[in-house]
Amino acid sequence: MLGKVLTWLLVLGMGAAGLALLLGGVQLVAAGGSFYYVLSGGALALSAYGLARSRRWWLPLYGALLGGTLIWALGEAGLDGWALVPRVIAPAVLGLILLVPAVRARAKPSSSAWLTLPLVATVIIFVAAGTLGREPYPEFDGTEPVTVADEQDGEWRNWGRSLSGERFSPLADIAASNVGKLEQAWEFVSDVEPYGFHSFEATPIAAGGKLFTCLDRDVIVALDQDSGEQLWKYDAKPDLEGVFAANCRGVSYYLAPEPAEECQARILFGVHDNRLMALDAETGKLCESFGDKGAIDLREGLGDFPKGIAFPTSPPALVGGLAVIGGWVTDGLDTDEPSGVIRAFDAVTGELAWAWDYGRDDDPTKELAEGETYTRSAPNAWGVFSGDEALGLVYIPTGVSTPDYFGAHRTPGSEIHATGVVALDIATGKSRWHFQTIHHDIWDLDVASQPVLTGIEHDGRKVPALIQPTKRGEFFVLDRRDGKPVYPVKERPVPQNVVEGEWASDTQPYSSFPNVGGAVLREVDMWGVTPLDQMWCRLQFRKFEYQGEFTPPSENWAIFYPGSAGGSNWGSVTVDPVRGLMVSNSLYMADIGKMIPRAEVEAMKYADGTTSESFAFIQEGTPFAIDRRVFLNPLGVPCQEPPYGRLTVIDLKTGKKRWSLPFGTAKHAGPMGLSSFLPIRMGSPNLGGSLATAGGLIFIGAAQDRQFRAIDIGNGRELWSTELPAIGGATPMTYRSAKTGKQYVVIAAGGHPGLPGPSGGSLMAYALPEGE
């Protein structure tokens, strides 16, 4: 009886799947795609018919289908195991089920060999893919620790450890030889009620014998460096109305060079209701002499705007005694939004020194007249800034002029300063130079990464360089004194088929420095869990607009790759200046988008001005809204094949990649947001950053598999890992305890709303056991 039930379930399932493949395959062929799905769908449906009627030929037919599938799959994917999964796994599993005696009895007795042979071949192919097809580790020896002078005495005083943003620590107590013994030293768990999804992605500061960090809802804490015990806590009690995410990436530490009446050492931070605040680093109490009793109102000069669309998300940069701060503006809402103004305040008194946006470059020190605002809709800068005090410059990574996906209305000043890096004179606020990474950005590819300042040797000369990572995966290496490219930048033609009323730049800049951008997508790169959802993705790929990078937004669905999350995002890159190596974790996820004509949007509006549809960007004041999303199939799986993340090390001495490997496993990846629990290297989505040490190690969380890893910077080998309570969507840091001298490595494990997984509020610290 059970055999009969199983047989008829197989008949129905095979028949339905066969018809779906056949019908979808016809559409795919009509769109110029592969013939495989038509042929396999027909063979599968015919096999179901044969099974239902107990025909002698149905099992050999399915065996021939599986054998043909193997040949086709190898022709398209080679020995790439993850690329073979949707092509082969489901047909092979079905083949095993068909060999169940009760089912096999409905075929010719001697026909089992027709199916057994391709099943054995499938196993052999996947074994080969797991060995020959796997990207090997480079053949470099393990990295030995080096001794480096430490001006910070083991502390971590800035978000990127120094104003340069290199994220390199001279500490080497933890090295390749002993990192495998690393164990959890302590865990600090936030007791702050989260605002929506946890937004805990902060990098703590280690200074003055304490750790300082921000939690959800703009709560600041000081912790004991050896136990994680809370020493003091300050709640800024922000008004979060309208704020979509109360994320904080960190705080800043400032030690006043002259004796001060209060707060000799202070913590400065931005608040989501637009305040800049200062606290005494010893007590956590407000610095009453800073601004207005410890706070500065950053709404001044911004004009009218809806609550919650503009706020600081990154710590102020402390350069030349000034706290320089920008902020997020929810671009994509309107052509008339607040300025993304950059302001500098005296770090002790809070007095405004200057305010820069492109409309105030002539005199950033000029005070606003009554009723005057900063330049409306000027590009914002929500990432972390860098500074060179010797050159007297602060470096600002800039975003897109609002709104993101339509820009015909933008002013010339807005055009040249958006999506790039601007060097401002710390004394005057004037722009010394600027460099643009995209011209007329209509893809939401704002520069989120902190510019990294380091010295490199190029063409026989030592250059004080600035490396600007981008969401495109391009790295622009500039002389930070004047903004001129160290590695040549060439302009290349790009697609021009824009929507009515828009225009596109004829060319876009490409650096000759190695990049981590993804290759141009093809139909064979489309992915899934089964042949059915892979076929769906292939059909969408054929239907959508796509001419490679810089495909313009269209009234038809269009593919944007890289997507708006990168490439490189706010985690930036890490530089080991001693070994001359740069570390980059990169993301590979395509977006899709469709422009919605304004008339259609207006027709959807209710009386209160809301619409019956949810658009990623409403773009009021332009002819179009846009519906934008990640390119996923109906099972919630990316439509492009892995890897979705890579970790790459580039040799700054040679200007070549030293190694590049898929980063992260499939452990917490799967359809419908489920975890597969497969600890197999895949290259997982990741958001966050890394650090490097004199011990020859990279420490990084960031990946969707929730692992925190130590990796040999020289050869990419993973030397240690541990599972975090949530994704470590932050940049880690390391320090030497002022009290015990022990080296700790710390990362925030808060999860990330852009990646599947639990939220959290833990700060995790790791150290070697006593006696090591």
Side-chain angles (χ1 to χ4, degrees):
M1 181 64 181
L2 287 176
K4 190 172 183 180
V5 171
L6 175 61
T7 298
W8 283 103
L9 286 174
L10 285 170
V11 167
L12 293 174
M14 290 168 62
L19 289 175
L21 288 170
L22 180 61
L23 293 174
V26 168
Q27 296 180 61
L28 184 57
V29 170
S34 172
F35 280 81
Y36 166 78
Y37 297 92
V38 171
L39 299 175
S40 64
L44 184 58
L46 194 56
S47 297
Y49 170 79
L51 174 59
R53 301 301 297 269
S54 298
R55 302 300 190 199
R56 299 164 65 88
W57 45 260
W58 72 266
L59 197 57
L61 175 60
Y62 188 81
L65 169 59
L66 182 56
T69 295
L70 286 175
I71 295 170
W72 165 78
L74 286 170
E76 282 204 335
L79 289 177
D80 185 332
W82 286 109
L84 290 170
V85 164
R87 294 170 169 89
V88 174
I89 290 294
V93 170
L94 176 58
L96 287 173
I97 297 172
L98 294 178
L99 288 178
V100 171
V103 179
R104 189 179 60 200
R106 299 175 73 92
K108 183 179 179 180
S110 61
S111 63
S112 296
W114 286 89
L115 186 52
T116 304
L117 184 60
L119 283 173
V120 171
T122 301
V123 173
I124 293 172
I125 287 169
F126 270 94
V127 169
T131 53
L132 301 177
R134 187 174 181 178
E135 292 190 49
Y137 289 106
E139 295 182 0
F140 293 114
D141 293 334
T143 307
E144 295 295 325
V146 294
T147 302
V148 183
D150 184 4
E151 295 179 358
Q152 292 193 30
D153 195 26
E155 296 188 329
W156 188 284
R157 297 176 188 164
N158 295 273
W159 188 81
R161 192 172 191 270
S162 65
L163 279 173
S164 70
E166 287 179 315
R167 277 168 283 282
F168 173 79
S169 171
L171 299 181
D173 296 356
I174 302 170
S177 60
N178 59 15
V179 69
K181 300 176 183 179
L182 214 59
E183 60 185 21
Q184 183 178 317
W186 52 261
E187 176 183 5
F188 171 81
V189 181
S190 171
D191 61 357
V192 178
E193 181 182 354
Y195 178 76
F197 195 98
H198 257 292
S199 304
F200 187 36
E201 52 190 42
T203 299
I205 298 297
K210 299 179 179 64
L211 283 183
F212 305 96
T213 192
C214 52
L215 310 175
D216 273 317
R217 296 178 179 268
D218 299 314
V219 172
I220 313 300
V221 293
L223 307 178
D224 182 273
Q225 291 186 344
D226 291 291
S227 67
E229 178 185 355
Q230 183 176 295
L231 303 176
W232 57 252
K233 174 180 177 181
Y234 179 83
D235 186 351
K237 298 180 180 178
D239 178 0
L240 295 176
E241 181 182 344
V243 175
F244 77 96
N247 54 312
C248 174
R249 294 189 181 88
V251 299
S252 295
Y253 176 85
Y254 184 70
L255 183 63
E258 302 294 335
E261 294 181 4
E262 59 169 357
C263 303
Q264 189 72 39
R266 61 187 61 202
I267 301 299
L268 294 102
F269 62 99
V271 184
H272 284 82
D273 57 8
N274 282 291
R275 286 177 287 164
L276 174 62
M277 304 187 73
L279 304 176
D280 190 311
E282 287 298 316
T283 65
K285 294 181 179 179
L286 284 169
C287 300
E288 296 283 339
S289 59
F290 179 83
D292 182 8
K293 297 183 178 179
I296 295 168
D297 187 353
L298 297 177
R299 294 174 300 175
E300 292 183 6
L302 296 185
D304 295 331
F305 62 93
K307 272 189 172 184
I309 73 162
F311 46 83
T313 61
S314 296
L318 276 299
V319 187
L322 298 179
V324 186
I325 191 167
W328 166 276
V329 178
T330 307
D331 39 11
L333 297 179
D334 203 307
T335 55
D336 182 29
E337 293 191 28
S339 173
V341 62
I342 312 301
R343 285 173 279 193
F345 299 91
D346 187 290
V348 174
T349 67
E351 181 181 356
L352 179 65
W354 48 259
W356 179 88
D357 61 38
Y358 74 84
R360 290 174 50 84
D361 197 40
D362 288 343
D363 187 6
T365 62
K366 182 181 177 182
E367 293 185 9
L368 291 175
E370 185 175 351
E372 185 183 4
T373 68
Y374 299 116
T375 309
R376 298 288 287 183
S377 298
N380 65 72
W382 56 267
V384 179
F385 306 159
S386 303
D388 185 327
E389 293 193 308
L391 292 176
L393 292 174
V394 58
Y395 302 95
I396 314 295
T398 60
V400 187
S401 289
T402 186
D404 289 310
Y405 289 89
F406 190 90
H409 60 283
R410 296 174 187 163
T411 65
S414 171
E415 287 286 359
I416 65 173
H417 289 96
T419 317
V421 57
V422 180
L424 300 181
D425 188 301
I426 194 63
T428 66
K430 289 186 177 183
S431 171
R432 289 249 205 108
W433 58 260
H434 62 270
F435 179 89
Q436 195 164 54
T437 64
I438 296 179
H439 312 312
H440 192 64
D441 184 357
I442 48 176
W443 300 273
D444 191 20
L445 294 175
D446 43 356
V447 179
S449 302
Q450 181 183 23
V452 177
L453 315 182
T454 192
I456 67 170
E457 290 187 11
H458 184 67
D459 288 343
R461 61 192 180 101
K462 189 73 176 277
V463 181
L466 177 150
I467 301 172
Q468 184 56 71
T470 68
K471 290 183 178 180
R472 296 171 54 200
E474 291 277 330
F475 301 112
F476 294 93
V477 184
L478 312 174
D479 187 321
R480 66 176 182 263
R481 295 169 295 189
D482 55 20
K484 294 180 180 179
V486 176
Y487 281 80
V489 174
K490 294 184 179 180
E491 295 284 335
R492 298 180 188 172
V494 294
Q496 297 291 301
N497 52 320
V498 295
V499 293
E500 184 178 355
E502 181 60 283
W503 63 275
S505 174
D506 294 336
T507 62
Q508 294 291 352
Y510 286 81
S511 174
S512 58
F513 188 76
N515 67 73
V516 293
V520 174
L521 297 176
R522 306 163 298 165
E523 182 195 326
V524 296
D525 299 322
M526 297 301 101
W527 202 65
V529 178
T530 70
L532 284 167
D533 58 316
Q534 184 185 40
M535 179 188 66
W536 185 93
C537 288
R538 294 176 81 136
L539 183 57
Q540 304 312 304
F541 178 82
R542 286 292 181 177
K543 288 181 176 179
F544 293 171
E545 298 280 348
Y546 182 64
Q547 298 97 46
E549 189 179 15
F550 296 115
T551 297
S554 166
E555 290 186 59
N556 184 23
W557 284 100
I559 298 173
F560 309 135
Y561 183 66
S564 59
S568 293
N569 209 304
W570 56 265
S572 195
V573 298
T574 290
V575 170
D576 180 336
V578 178
R579 299 176 177 88
L581 300 175
M582 185 187 89
V583 184
S584 167
N585 58 295
S586 47
L587 175 67
Y588 304 91
M589 296 279 284
D591 287 342
I592 56 174
K594 179 180 181 180
M595 299 290 265
I596 313 296
R598 183 62 52 195
E600 293 183 26
V601 176
E602 294 299 319
M604 299 174 189
K605 282 190 175 179
Y606 299 124
D608 63 359
T610 60
T611 68
S612 57
E613 299 288 339
S614 176
F615 301 108
F617 298 89
I618 194 70
Q619 301 196 139
E620 295 283 5
T622 76
F624 299 93
I626 186 170
D627 185 353
R628 189 205 72 194
R629 58 191 71 173
V630 180
F631 191 14
L632 304 176
N633 70 27
L635 297 180
V637 173
C639 264
Q640 67 197 84
E641 67 188 24
Y644 306 116
R646 297 188 75 88
L647 191 64
T648 303
V649 166
I650 296 174
D651 192 323
L652 296 176
K653 299 183 293 294
T654 64
K656 297 179 180 179
K657 288 182 182 178
R658 185 177 176 91
W659 56 263
S660 181
L661 293 167
F663 171 53
T665 69
K667 186 174 184 180
H668 290 298
M672 312 301 290
L674 301 174
S675 293
S676 70
F677 298 106
L678 295 172
I680 303 172
R681 191 170 71 185
M682 177 180 72
S684 62
N686 61 95
L687 287 168
S690 63
L691 72 87
T693 71
L697 300 174
I698 301 166
F699 286 97
I700 185 169
Q704 184 177 315
D705 63 5
R706 306 176 205 165
Q707 297 296 301
F708 185 39
R709 295 175 165 88
I711 295 169
D712 189 308
I713 196 170
N715 58 30
R717 293 187 178 275
E718 184 177 306
L719 304 177
W720 170 85
S721 71
T722 187
E723 182 152 343
L724 299 169
I727 293 168
T731 57
M733 52 84 71
T734 186
Y735 63 93
R736 187 188 303 283
S737 166
K739 183 166 53 179
T740 64
K742 176 176 283 193
Q743 182 184 354
Y744 293 88
V745 184
V746 175
I747 189 169
H752 194 283
L755 299 175
S759 62
S762 293
L763 195 65
M764 309 296 297
Y766 301 90
L768 294 172
E770 292 296 332
E772 288 292 332

